[in-house]
Amino acid sequence: MFKSVIDTNSYISILETRHAGELFNLIDGSRESIGKWLSFPEFTNEVQDTKTFIEKSLNRFASNNGYWAGIWHKGKIAGSIGYLYLDWGNNKTEIGYWLGKDFEGLGLATKSCDILIEHAFSELQLNKVEINVATQNIKSKAIPERLGFTKEGIIRNYEFINGKYLDRIIYGLLKDEWLNKK
């Protein structure tokens, strides 16, 4: 399946079921840091949960409706990134991403987003890419801001995580904006 080089130490590749154990261990070891902003660690309690997630992602990939890829750094899985959906009627997608706690601050999420943005506009011919981030997640907010996204609004009480409601900032980037940035 596809593989895209980030740099000499890192790459992105479609998640396959053979990665389930390694991905589960990363989630399990970073449960607190990931679970602070995202709900999936709460529902990922065994390797089979991760395998089921990967199988669903592969089905979405096969039906041309998004996918999740692993982010690898120095031979170890560092996190995951993907298109949450592909809205062909409106020519847009949303990118989601997360990193294990030991892989934060290396630029992996920003570089991985850059690759998916370029692919969305150049290969998929989409017109818009969105990224939604919890308003208090400073590290994650920096990524779309660094990549030239526009803050389009806030969805209040977007989701209930760890006993509290989190608001989400919607960031958007249009194809013309991306091309003019280059």
Side-chain angles (χ1 to χ4, degrees):
M1 298 210 154
F2 100 81
K3 179 178 179 178
S4 186
V5 174
I6 298 172
D7 57 37
T8 55
N9 292 314
S10 312
Y11 66 91
I12 301 169
S13 183
I14 289 287
L15 287 168
E16 300 176 44
T17 54
R18 64 187 172 97
H19 301 128
E22 188 179 5
L23 186 62
F24 174 79
N25 289 336
L26 179 66
I27 294 165
D28 199 41
S30 299
R31 203 170 282 284
E32 186 178 324
S33 62
I34 300 167
K36 188 174 183 179
W37 308 112
L38 300 169
S39 61
F40 76 86
E42 182 181 346
F43 308 106
T44 307
N45 299 307
E46 57 184 302
V47 174
Q48 183 58 47
D49 297 331
T50 307
K51 185 178 179 188
T52 300
F53 163 76
I54 293 171
E55 288 169 345
K56 288 179 182 178
S57 176
L58 289 170
N59 286 335
R60 285 190 6 219
F61 180 67
S63 65
N64 205 19
N65 189 30
Y67 61 83
W68 280 91
I71 303 169
W72 275 264
H73 181 68
K74 294 185 177 179
K76 295 183 178 182
I77 194 158
S80 189
I81 187 166
Y83 298 124
L84 303 181
Y85 58 84
L86 291 168
D87 180 345
W88 295 107
N90 293 301
N91 294 315
K92 69 179 185 172
T93 189
E94 179 184 340
I95 295 175
Y97 51 83
W98 62 269
L99 293 171
K101 65 179 180 178
D102 296 335
F103 299 95
E104 295 176 358
L106 302 174
L108 294 170
T110 301
K111 291 174 187 175
S112 298
C113 282
D114 189 64
I115 289 169
L116 264 65
I117 293 164
E118 181 64 34
H119 181 74
F121 292 142
S122 298
E123 302 299 321
L124 301 178
Q125 295 296 308
L126 299 178
N127 184 58
K128 185 177 185 183
V129 173
E130 294 179 348
I131 293 177
N132 298 346
V133 179
T135 56
Q136 295 177 322
N137 189 343
I138 304 303
K139 290 179 183 178
S140 195
K141 284 186 347 184
I143 294 165
E145 291 170 2
R146 192 178 298 123
L147 291 168
F149 281 68
T150 298
K151 180 180 170 183
E152 296 184 339
I154 295 176
I155 301 175
R156 298 175 302 149
N157 290 344
Y158 180 80
E159 59 190 336
F160 191 73
I161 296 178
N162 298 321
K164 61 183 176 180
Y165 288 100
L166 299 179
D167 296 345
R168 283 276 177 113
I169 298 176
I170 309 301
Y171 289 96
L173 181 65
L174 303 178
K175 183 176 186 175
D176 290 344
E177 295 167 339
W178 180 255
L179 295 174
N180 289 334
K181 183 184 115 170
K182 293 185 145 210

